[in-house]
């Protein structure tokens, strides 16, 4: 009877384990299916783009042009394709590939033409989004790049010999032993030996050589900036008079205008308009208050400087923009308030030419000032078409490579 009972329990346990195992297998199978779904989404950006396109909102002022229909077996190379949007609606170039391993082939699509090209191993395409303003690069004065533009005039100085007078030795004898004094004399003799006939040089003045022109010489340079295309420079010079009064002056190769700042504190940053016709600096006065000085002679106080993020010129119209706190200022007037600006980058804020709207790129979504939005563009840029500015972006929808264009 006991054996029968044990067999019954064993069978029940076996069935229970089998049922549990079946349930576990079903759960694992379901989880695997869900993982595969997500992987398929990642591996099939074309279908994902098609699904995303249904969530986009675009007005009638947006034009849609099919640039290329990818052939069967061709896929857009996301990792290695540098996308060039050009300056007109029909200009475009990118790389697609087919096959795998040794059979992998790459083709370049450029302005509608398909050309076989060697498959790139790696490509540094830089950022996929064009900065909304003329972003200057600050160059270290003594860096290799800085030496291309800045020439130092130096002067030599003889190193002073360390000495100790008899009076100093007499004073030392009052609190040092004879052994300590002898040791000190040996160290002094060694220092005199090392510095004998030695000299050092200091920078007497600095001259900027740029595009075959010379600027200066200046007694001191504090900061040096280049435009992103290296065609213009902005520099901060410093003059100190005998009464130790500091005068900073901001100059540029793009304009004869300058900005003068009195005081010992150098400007904190320098910005320039897209056409480099205007520039400005942010600084702080003796009372600890922040302000902006422009090359047009304007002064703008920053009341909310504690939450100051950035200052720049708008892409159109050379209007001075400030991101401070949760507010975007347009020539001193608030035109946009965000709930939280901690994740807002000024480079991704595009201000309408009349200052009445702000378009934003965030988390790969373009939110336009008029309420339109588009998810996951491959690349977006500003282009000038017949004197008018347009947003231009590229998208992959099923097998169609599409160019969108919207008035700025």
């Amino acid at each position: 009877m006991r054996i029968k009972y044990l067999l019954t329990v064993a069978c029940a346990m076996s069935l229970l384990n089998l049922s549990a195992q079946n349930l576990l297998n079903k759960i694992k199978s379901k989880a695997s299916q869900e993982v595969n779904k997500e992987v398929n989404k990642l591996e099939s950006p074309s279908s994902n783009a098609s699904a995303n396109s249904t969530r986009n909102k675009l007005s009638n002022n947006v034009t849609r042009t099919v640039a290329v229909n990818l052939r069967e077996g061709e896929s857009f190379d996301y990792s290695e394709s540098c996308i060039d949007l050009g300056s007109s609606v029909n200009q475009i170039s990118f790389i697609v590939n087919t096959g795998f391993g040794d059979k992998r082939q790459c083709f370049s699509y450029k302005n509608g033409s398909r050309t076989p090209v060697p498959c790139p191993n790696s490509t540094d395409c830089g950022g996929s989004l064009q900065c909304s303003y003329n972003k200057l690069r600050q160059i270290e004065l003594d860096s290799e790049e800085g030496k291309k533009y800045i020439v130092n005039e130096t002067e030599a100085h003889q190193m002073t010999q360390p000495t100790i007078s008899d009076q100093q030795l007499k004073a030392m004898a009052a609190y040092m032993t004879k052994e300590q004094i002898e040791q000190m004399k040996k160290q002094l003799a060694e220092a005199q030996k090392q510095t004998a006939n030695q000299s050092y040089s200091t920078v007497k003045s600095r001259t900027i050589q740029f595009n075959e022109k010379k600027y200066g010489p200046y007694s001191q340079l504090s900061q040096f900036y280049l435009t992103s295309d290296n065609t213009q420079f902005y520099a901060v010079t410093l003059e100190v008079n005998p009464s130790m009064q500091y005068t900073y002056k901001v100059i540029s190769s793009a304009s004869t205008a300058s900005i003068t700042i009195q005081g010992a504190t150098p400007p904190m940053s320098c910005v320039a308009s897209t056409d480099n016709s205007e520039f400005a600096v942010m600084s702080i006065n003796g009372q600890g208050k922040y302000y902006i000085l422009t090359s047009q002679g304007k002064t703008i106080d920053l009341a909310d400087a504690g939450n100051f993020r950035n200052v720049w010129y708008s892409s159109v119209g050379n209007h001075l923009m400030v991101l401070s706190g949760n507010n975007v200022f347009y020539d001193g007037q608030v035109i946009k308030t965000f709930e939280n600006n901690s994740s807002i980058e000024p480079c991704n804020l595009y201000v309408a030419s009349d200052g009445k709207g702000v378009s934003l790129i965030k988390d790969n979504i373009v939110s336009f000032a008029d309420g339109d939005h588009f998810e996951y563009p491959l690349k977006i840029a500003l282009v000038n078409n017949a004197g008018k500015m347009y947003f231009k972006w590229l998208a992959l929808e099923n097998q169609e490579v599409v160019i969108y264009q919207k008035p700025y």
Side-chain angles (χ1 to χ4, degrees):
M1 180 68 180
R2 180 174 177 80
I3 295 174
K4 183 177 180 181
Y5 172 76
L6 290 174
L7 289 172
T8 303
V9 171
C11 290
M13 290 295 294
S14 177
L15 290 172
L16 183 59
N17 288 337
L18 181 61
S19 177
Q21 185 63 44
N22 288 337
L23 178 60
L24 180 61
N25 288 338
K26 288 182 179 180
I27 294 173
K28 290 169 69 177
S29 176
K30 181 65 175 177
S32 178
Q33 292 175 14
E34 293 302 318
V35 170
N36 286 335
K37 286 181 181 179
E38 295 303 316
V39 171
N40 289 335
K41 288 181 182 178
L42 294 175
E43 293 180 347
S44 304
S46 59
S47 60
N48 197 29
S50 177
N52 286 332
S53 65
T54 62
R55 297 196 296 268
N56 298 328
K57 177 188 174 185
L58 298 175
S59 303
N60 293 331
N61 64 351
V62 178
T63 61
R64 180 183 185 273
T65 305
V66 178
V68 173
N69 280 285
L70 298 183
R71 300 180 182 181
E72 185 176 355
E74 288 184 343
S75 61
F76 196 96
D77 197 330
Y78 288 86
S79 62
E80 298 175 351
S81 181
C82 282
I83 304 169
D84 182 8
L85 293 179
S87 58
S88 68
V89 70
N90 294 322
Q91 288 182 333
I92 180 177
S93 66
F94 56 90
I95 291 177
V96 300
N97 60 42
T98 61
F100 299 93
D102 295 337
K103 295 184 179 181
R104 181 169 175 253
Q105 292 180 301
C106 292
F107 301 90
S108 171
Y109 276 98
K110 186 172 183 179
N111 303 336
S113 299
R114 180 180 183 271
T115 306
V117 295
C119 291
N121 294 321
S122 62
T123 305
D124 182 11
C125 299
S128 61
L129 300 176
Q130 175 183 327
C131 186
S132 64
Y133 63 89
N134 184 16
K135 195 171 186 179
L136 302 180
R137 296 189 301 118
Q138 185 169 1
I139 309 299
E140 294 296 327
L141 301 179
D142 294 320
S143 67
E144 290 303 315
E145 187 173 11
K147 292 176 182 178
K148 296 178 182 178
Y149 308 102
I150 300 170
V151 178
N152 296 332
E153 181 186 355
T154 61
E155 56 184 355
H157 306 273
Q158 197 70 27
M159 294 191 70
T160 303
Q161 288 279 296
T163 59
I164 296 178
S165 65
D166 292 340
Q167 187 176 359
Q168 289 173 320
L169 282 174
K170 186 176 180 180
M172 290 178 184
Y175 59 87
M176 294 176 66
T177 64
K178 291 183 178 180
E179 291 78 8
Q180 289 174 332
I181 291 177
E182 289 301 320
Q183 181 64 26
M184 183 270 298
K185 287 182 178 179
K186 290 180 180 180
Q187 293 174 348
L188 178 62
E190 180 63 26
Q192 290 175 337
K193 180 180 178 181
Q194 292 180 359
T195 57
N197 300 319
Q198 297 295 315
S199 63
Y200 64 95
S201 61
T202 59
V203 176
K204 183 179 180 181
S205 65
R206 281 175 159 160
T207 301
I208 300 173
Q209 294 185 349
F210 195 84
N211 289 342
E212 300 181 354
K213 294 183 179 180
K214 290 185 178 181
Y215 302 81
Y218 306 104
S219 60
Q220 295 187 56
L221 277 178
S222 173
Q223 300 163 23
F224 187 77
Y225 300 86
L226 287 175
T227 55
S228 57
D229 57 5
N230 295 343
T231 59
Q232 303 292 346
F233 81 81
Y234 295 84
V236 181
T237 70
L238 171 61
E239 297 290 341
V240 183
N241 65 15
S243 59
M244 297 303 294
Q245 290 181 329
Y246 287 67
T247 301
Y248 290 95
K249 190 174 183 180
V250 188
I251 62 172
S252 171
S253 60
S255 171
T256 57
S258 62
I259 301 173
T260 301
I261 304 172
Q262 301 290 344
T265 305
M268 300 174 63
S269 61
C270 181
V271 294
S273 61
T274 302
D275 61 3
N276 294 296
S277 63
E278 298 182 31
F279 56 97
V281 291
M282 178 181 170
S283 191
I284 184 172
N285 61 21
Q287 290 74 43
K289 295 182 179 180
Y290 295 86
Y291 63 96
I292 297 170
L293 289 174
T294 76
S295 58
Q296 303 296 310
K298 298 178 182 178
T299 301
I300 300 175
D301 293 323
L302 296 176
D304 194 16
N307 292 316
F308 172 81
R309 290 288 303 281
N310 210 336
V311 56
W312 70 98
Y313 280 94
S314 61
S315 299
V316 180
N318 294 346
H319 298 280
L320 200 62
M321 310 299 305
V322 173
L323 177 62
S324 186
N326 292 327
N327 298 318
V328 178
F329 292 83
Y330 175 92
D331 289 338
Q333 302 297 317
V334 176
I335 60 170
K336 180 74 175 180
T337 299
F338 295 101
E339 291 183 2
N340 182 4
N341 80 342
S342 61
S343 60
I344 302 299
E345 291 296 332
C347 259
N348 297 335
L349 293 177
Y350 295 81
V351 181
S353 56
D354 58 2
K356 294 182 179 180
V358 178
S359 297
L360 170 67
I361 298 174
K362 182 182 177 184
D363 299 330
N364 293 316
I365 299 176
V366 187
S367 301
F368 295 99
D370 61 0
D372 282 2
H373 64 270
F374 193 94
E375 299 186 5
Y376 304 107
L378 297 177
K379 187 172 183 178
I380 185 169
L382 285 177
V383 297
N384 190 321
N385 191 352
K388 294 183 179 180
M389 298 298 295
Y390 290 85
F391 287 105
K392 179 183 177 182
W393 68 96
L394 190 70
L396 181 60
E397 298 171 355
N398 295 321
Q399 290 296 97
E400 294 179 339
V401 180
V402 181
I403 303 174
Y404 286 94
Q405 191 166 286
K406 179 182 177 67
Y408 184 81

